[in-house]
Amino acid sequence: MIALLSPGQGAQSPGMLAPWLELDGTADLLAELSEAAQVDLHALGTTADADTIKDTQVAQPLIVATSLVSLHALEARAGSRIVWAQLAAGHSVGEFAAAAAAGALSPADALGLVGVRGRAMAEAADQAPTGMSAVVGGNPEEVDAALAAHDLVGANVNGGGQVVAAGLLTDLDALAAEPPARARVIPLAVAGAFHTEYMAAAVQTVQTAAAEVDAADPQLQLLSNFDGAALTSGEQALARLVAQISSPVRWDLCQQTMLEAGVTRAIELAPGGVLAGLARRSMRGVETVALKGPDDLDAAVALITSATEEN
């Protein structure tokens, strides 16, 4: 079984769309996605600097668009629509790319909602001095206890001994000054405490936009960051995508579901690397390919071919 993985915020890098734009059809698709998101994705993905694309309202649509552009290129190279994948999952905003890959949302609807989501989350982040820090290593129970003691939330539980703490900057500073045993606390360059109650206002904004969208039932198993479970209807998928804005990302449970479902191979859409790295630590034995640029398409097609030949 092949899984399609879609990365989340923080995976972006300057100029990451430039090599994809050399492929036929990419410019037209990107123009459609830019219009839907109300963001100039061409400029942001080719000439914008690192500080510019770090902005939440820019980073989110840029990452999702890059994932969908790379999926379009992979389908063209493989010679077919996604008949070779059986499961899709995305980390945080990557869930929208996964929903589009699974057929639950059109690419334009996915980018339209992500554009609203990015702007709403940036606005919510401005309401309080909050942030996020990665906590790497340590005993899981001791890490949980340390977060609770400092009024912090495990906003991303990624597996492989990595949790992202979120909350007030003063509480994150206190955690860094007194970290759990054998753990490192690494501040992340994000604008706020995403996937926590601090994003409640953003949920309401995106919910209003989502009410205008028609979602279809997923054609692949589409996993939810809430609990790792497969979503069975378009309505359910859309509701989860909205609610997840203020709920922790349980990528550890998504990985567990993939293993239980029999996933043996995974392709991480561009800008790939982060989720493939987590899979190597937490999904041992699963073969992975991360699409970082068009040069990685042949390796992804080879992975698809090997899976087809096995079956």
Side-chain angles (χ1 to χ4, degrees), residues 241-263:
L241 286 169
V242 174
Q244 198 62 46
I245 293 169
S246 62
S247 299
V249 171
R250 294 302 305 268
W251 190 248
D252 59 332
L253 298 181
C254 288
Q255 292 185 122
Q256 180 179 322
T257 298
M258 285 186 254
L259 289 174
E260 292 172 351
V263 167

Side-chain angles (χ1 to χ4, degrees), residues 223-290:
L223 304 190
S224 170
N225 281 179
F226 181 73
D227 55 7
L231 303 172
T232 57
S233 71
E235 182 179 349
Q236 183 192 28
L238 196 55
R240 283 287 184 93
L241 286 169
V242 174
Q244 198 62 46
I245 293 169
S246 62
S247 299
V249 171
R250 294 302 305 268
W251 190 248
D252 59 332
L253 298 181
C254 288
Q255 292 185 122
Q256 180 179 322
T257 298
M258 285 186 254
L259 289 174
E260 292 172 351
V263 167
T264 57
R265 296 167 175 82
I267 298 172
E268 183 181 1
L269 299 175
V274 173
L275 300 183
L278 289 172
R280 284 192 291 272
R281 291 194 292 274
S282 300
M283 299 170 62
R284 296 186 184 280
V286 173
E287 185 180 354
T288 62
V289 171

Side-chain angles (χ1 to χ4, degrees), residues 119-262:
R119 291 186 288 273
M121 291 177 72
E123 185 175 335
D126 286 340
Q127 303 308 305
T130 61
M132 306 176 82
S133 294
V135 183
V136 182
N139 178 284
E141 292 182 358
E142 292 179 4
V143 170
D144 289 344
L147 265 56
H150 291 291
D151 296 319
L152 297 169
V153 174
N156 296 347
V157 183
N158 291 329
Q162 184 188 107
V163 175
V164 175
L168 292 171
L169 292 176
T170 51
D171 293 330
L172 289 169
D173 289 342
L175 177 68
E178 191 180 357
R182 300 178 301 282
R184 292 180 296 137
V185 178
I186 307 166
L188 301 179
V190 297
F194 303 142
H195 298 292
T196 71
E197 61 183 9
Y198 291 101
M199 294 292 115
V203 172
Q204 296 301 317
T205 301
V206 180
Q207 195 166 49
T208 299
E212 304 299 319
V213 172
D214 291 325
D217 293 345
Q219 301 305 299
L220 311 177
Q221 289 189 55
L222 176 62
L223 304 190
S224 170
N225 281 179
F226 181 73
D227 55 7
L231 303 172
T232 57
S233 71
E235 182 179 349
Q236 183 192 28
L238 196 55
R240 283 287 184 93
L241 286 169
V242 174
Q244 198 62 46
I245 293 169
S246 62
S247 299
V249 171
R250 294 302 305 268
W251 190 248
D252 59 332
L253 298 181
C254 288
Q255 292 185 122
Q256 180 179 322
T257 298
M258 285 186 254
L259 289 174
E260 292 172 351

Side-chain angles (χ1 to χ4, degrees), residues 62-79:
L62 182 58
I63 289 165
V64 173
T66 303
S67 290
L68 295 182
V69 161
S70 69
L71 175 59
H72 174 78
L74 178 57
E75 290 174 334
R77 186 68 61 90

